[in-house]
Amino acid sequence: MTDGTTVDVVDAQILDKQIILGIKILREHLGCSLHDALRAFTDRYEVLREQRPDDFVCGRDEYWAGFFS
């Protein structure tokens, strides 16, 4: 699928903590299952956390709070 380095179409959603919208965009962009889109989203999230940590509006724990998959 993707290792998170090439799928930058959801960077804005990731940085704005729009998890559901980001996953929806990835499903449409990649033409994949919900599970694969979630994996692509989390992979890209990790890449951005490493490369652009100051661009996030909250920490890791707060980012995923309330999201259950």
Side-chain angles (χ1 to χ4, degrees), residues 10 13-14 18-27 37 41:
V10 293
Q13 287 73 32
I14 291 172
Q18 298 176 342
I19 299 170
I20 301 296
L21 179 58
I23 292 169
K24 180 182 177 200
I25 290 169
L26 280 172
R27 282 194 74 199
F41 185 92

Side-chain angles (χ1 to χ4, degrees), residues 32-48:
C32 63
S33 69
L34 179 59
H35 182 264
D36 287 341
L38 175 58
R39 184 177 317 152
F41 185 92
T42 57
D43 288 349
R44 185 62 185 168
Y45 167 87
E46 291 300 332
V47 168
L48 290 177

